[in-house]
């Protein structure tokens, strides 16, 4: 018994039958003696449909009006689900972001939560009501509606769990939990029983789409007990926490891929101090995120620097660098927008030499060429051609997890 925050994604509330299913999960949790706060996403593709509607009317609509529009999807879900719970005979109330005091900064479309005034929530919970909260939305200091960025309902749920000191935050979705690789790609991918915040954060950032990465960051910061599970299967999910029982684990927890990557190479830069600083501060000023960076060893008086950006930033990055070509002094820019990043993640690799070598061996055996490499304490990423990415995930997964099965 305790306080449980549950979050249901768009597919879990896509139609009347599924909303009734969610109402059942919520009320069963309540009947077991828990206080329940449930955060809902917009039904199915609602948010995408709303984006299309806006584009038909004004492709350059202001961000304020976009948020006004996009926030409506979640309001539909919570009211419908409240009706389903009323029909089951339980006390329930639905609340929008502003009604629960979800305060954000003013950054429309990608707002950050600054504070949650929890009086209203506490009062409703005090009366033993089930509280349904519209995900993905808040209110800024102008009393205007803001949204938290695509996938932001996860973050709404974790933020509520943090301020309410919830015993558990359950993220219900359409898969059974977090897998060692995308199960649609790797047939013997396994569901993880547990994973650390850091690993989950890397996986979420590297392209595994189960959780919004900001929600994981927040869960780690406030030590929120997270569980990712399916609203359809009833199976136990994946627990996300500080430490996990590493004894039974493979050195890695998962393999992820991200195709939203482009590589730029500045060839023939002058081999002077300060060049890298100039290049990357230009990009930073334009808020272009740079990921993997590689600088060649200088030959005579020139060197090359290559780096990756999100594909959507490629043209802007190229344009900025070309504009500053005279000052930077390079021969040419080479771009590759058909590459992909494949990564392995695992807290277990810190103390086990040879993990990167195992990954490279799998790629070598498969004849897949590596263009760039980057590592951190708990991940190794390689840049490969996009056409090789799926196969790379499969062979790397095989190498680690079949080996693991053999050792057991
Ligand atoms: N409905 C929003 C979206 O599709 C928020 C969410 O689902 O988390 O991005
Ligand atoms: Mg979503």
């Amino acid at each position: 018994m305790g306080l449980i925050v549950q979050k249901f994604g768009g597919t879990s509330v896509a139609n009347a039958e599924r909303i009734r299913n969610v109402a059942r999960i919520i009320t069963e949790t309540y009947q077991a003696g828990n206080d329940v706060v449930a955060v809902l996403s917009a039904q199915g593709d609602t948010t995408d449909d709303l984006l299309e509607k806006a584009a038909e009317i004004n492709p350059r609509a202001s961000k304020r009006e976009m948020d006004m529009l996009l926030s409506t999807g979640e309001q539909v879900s919570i009211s419908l689900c409240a009706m389903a719970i009323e029909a089951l005979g339980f006390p329930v109330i639905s609340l929008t972001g502003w009604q629960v005091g979800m305060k954000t900064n003013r950054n429309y479309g990608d707002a950050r939560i600054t504070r949650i005034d929890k009086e209203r929530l506490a009062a409703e919970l005090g009366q033993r009501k089930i509280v349904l909260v519209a995900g993905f939305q808040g209110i800024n200091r102008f009393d205007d509606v803001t949204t938290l960025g695509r996938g932001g309902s996860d973050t709404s749920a974790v933020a509520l769990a943090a301020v309410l000191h919830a015993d558990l935050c359950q993220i219900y979705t359409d898969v059974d939990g977090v897998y060692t690789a995308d199960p649609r790609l790797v047939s013997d991918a396994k569901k993880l029983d547990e994973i650390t915040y850091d690993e989950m954060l890397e996986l979420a950032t590297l392209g595994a789409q189960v959780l919004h990465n900001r929600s994981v960051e927040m869960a780690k910061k406030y030590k929120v007990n997270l569980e990712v599970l399916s609203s359809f299967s009833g199976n136990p999910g994946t627990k996300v926490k500080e430490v996990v029982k590493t004894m039974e684990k493979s050195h890695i927890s998962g393999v992820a891929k991200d195709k939203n990557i482009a590589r730029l190479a500045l060839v023939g830069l002058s081999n002077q101090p300060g060049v890298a600083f100039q290049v990357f501060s230009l990009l930073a000023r334009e808020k272009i995120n740079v990921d993997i960076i590689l600088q060649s060893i200088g030959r005579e008086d020139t060197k090359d620097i290559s780096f990756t950006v999100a594909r959507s930033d490629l043209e802007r990055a190229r344009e900025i660098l070309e504009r500053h070509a005279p000052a930077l002094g390079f021969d040419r820019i080479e771009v590759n927008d058909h590459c992909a990043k494949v990564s392995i993640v695992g807290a277990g690799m810190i103390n086990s030499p040879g993990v990167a070598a195992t990954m490279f061996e799998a790629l070598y055996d498969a004849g897949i060429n590596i263009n760039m490499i980057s590592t951190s304490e708990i991940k190794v990423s390689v840049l490969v051609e996009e056409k090789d990415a799926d196969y790379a995930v499969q062979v790397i997964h095989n190498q680690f997890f079949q080996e693991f099965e053999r050792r057991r």
Side-chain angles (χ1 to χ4, degrees):
M1 276 196 316
L3 172 60
I4 299 187
V5 174
Q6 300 182 319
K7 181 259 169 178
F8 297 90
T11 37
S12 300
V13 293
N15 55 39
E17 186 203 333
R18 291 183 183 180
I19 287 188
R20 276 194 216 100
N21 177 52
V22 164
R24 178 187 58 78
I25 295 172
I26 293 172
T27 53
E28 280 174 7
T29 311
Y30 176 87
Q31 259 186 321
N34 300 294
D35 286 331
V36 185
V37 174
V39 174
L40 271 51
S41 287
Q43 292 185 279
D45 296 329
T46 301
T47 309
D48 291 323
D49 295 345
L50 290 171
L51 282 166
E52 267 174 39
K53 277 198 173 120
E56 269 175 38
I57 304 246
N58 177 359
R60 285 187 189 72
S62 67
K63 289 187 163 183
R64 181 196 182 277
E65 297 308 328
M66 285 307 294
D67 279 2
M68 197 62 153
L69 178 70
L70 295 186
S71 61
T72 59
E74 273 68 17
Q75 193 169 335
V76 171
S77 297
I78 53 169
S79 50
L80 289 175
C81 189
M83 293 173 198
I85 292 175
E86 281 175 350
L88 295 173
F90 291 87
V92 62
I93 186 164
S94 67
L95 299 171
T96 60
W98 67 265
Q99 288 173 307
V100 292
M102 181 76 70
K103 300 286 165 60
T104 74
N105 66 8
R106 53 174 148 165
N107 200 4
Y108 297 109
D110 196 25
R112 306 286 142 145
I113 299 167
T114 49
R115 184 167 49 110
I116 301 178
D117 299 329
K118 53 182 181 180
E119 289 75 28
R120 179 74 189 265
L121 270 170
E124 303 294 353
L125 290 171
Q127 294 178 37
R128 275 291 284 155
K129 278 190 201 157
I130 294 169
V131 181
L132 303 186
V133 178
F136 172 58
Q137 57 175 262
I139 187 174
N140 66 17
R141 65 185 156 96
F142 310 119
D143 285 351
D144 283 337
V145 176
T146 52
T147 65
L148 307 181
R150 297 305 306 269
S153 296
D154 293 343
T155 301
S156 310
V158 173
L160 287 166
V163 294
L164 294 169
H165 303 289
D167 298 284
L168 181 62
C169 180
Q170 295 180 308
I171 308 284
Y172 281 91
T173 176
D174 50 3
V175 292
D176 270 336
V178 182
Y179 279 75
T180 50
D182 184 344
R184 286 164 301 185
L185 201 62
V186 178
S187 57
D188 56 352
K190 283 179 204 55
K191 191 191 73 194
L192 297 163
D193 295 331
E194 39 183 40
I195 185 169
T196 66
Y197 293 121
D198 289 327
E199 290 171 311
M200 191 63 240
L201 197 55
E202 291 283 11
L203 284 175
T205 314
L206 293 169
Q209 287 177 339
V210 268
L211 283 176
H212 199 218
N213 59 356
R214 270 163 57 198
S215 73
V216 186
E217 237 163 41
M218 195 182 291
K220 174 179 156 76
K221 182 161 168 201
Y222 296 101
K223 297 203 174 16
V224 173
N225 280 316
L226 269 186
E227 185 181 5
V228 180
L229 67 177
S230 161
S231 62
F232 302 109
S233 73
N235 295 334
T238 302
K239 298 221 159 66
V240 188
K241 46 198 216 183
E242 192 74 44
V243 278
V244 303
K245 307 183 215 85
T246 48
M247 289 303 289
E248 307 162 45
K249 279 187 32 178
S250 162
H251 292 316
I252 71 166
S253 295
V255 188
K257 71 156 192 232
D258 184 355
K259 292 189 169 169
N260 178 25
I261 304 266
R263 181 179 62 156
L264 292 105
L266 297 177
V267 182
L269 280 163
S270 77
N271 199 7
Q272 298 288 319
V275 171
F277 165 65
Q278 282 177 36
V279 169
F280 295 112
S281 55
L282 278 171
L283 297 170
R285 218 179 299 150
E286 298 291 325
K287 300 215 160 27
I288 294 177
N289 252 322
V290 172
D291 184 24
I292 308 177
I293 301 176
L294 194 78
Q295 178 179 311
S296 68
I297 298 173
R299 47 186 144 57
E300 293 172 17
D301 47 1
T302 65
K303 62 188 172 190
D304 307 336
I305 293 183
S306 40
F307 56 92
T308 64
V309 297
R311 230 172 254 184
S312 51
D313 286 337
L314 172 63
E315 282 316 316
R316 254 183 344 126
R318 185 197 338 226
E319 197 250 310
I320 292 161
L321 294 169
E322 264 163 8
R323 207 177 335 130
H324 291 84
L328 295 169
F330 51 83
D331 293 339
R332 60 180 195 279
I333 304 184
E334 284 174 9
V335 302
N336 177 349
D337 61 357
H338 40 267
C339 42
K341 185 168 69 168
V342 175
S343 310
I344 55 173
V345 171
M349 70 173 73
I350 298 178
N351 298 315
S352 29
V355 170
T358 304
M359 180 188 197
F360 302 155
E361 183 187 3
L363 293 169
Y364 171 71
D365 288 343
I368 297 173
N369 193 32
I370 301 174
N371 292 321
M372 287 171 114
I373 300 171
S374 91
T375 65
S376 78
E377 277 196 329
I378 66 163
K379 84 162 189 223
V380 181
S381 296
V382 296
L383 198 74
V384 298
E385 291 300 308
E386 181 176 351
K387 65 174 172 42
D388 294 332
D390 288 355
Y391 188 42
V393 172
Q394 288 160 352
V395 296
I396 294 168
H397 190 275
N398 261 349
Q399 190 91 353
F400 280 97
F401 290 94
Q402 286 183 353
E403 165 126 340
F404 175 59
E405 286 300 316
R406 272 200 302 276
R407 271 194 283 120
R408 278 227 289 210

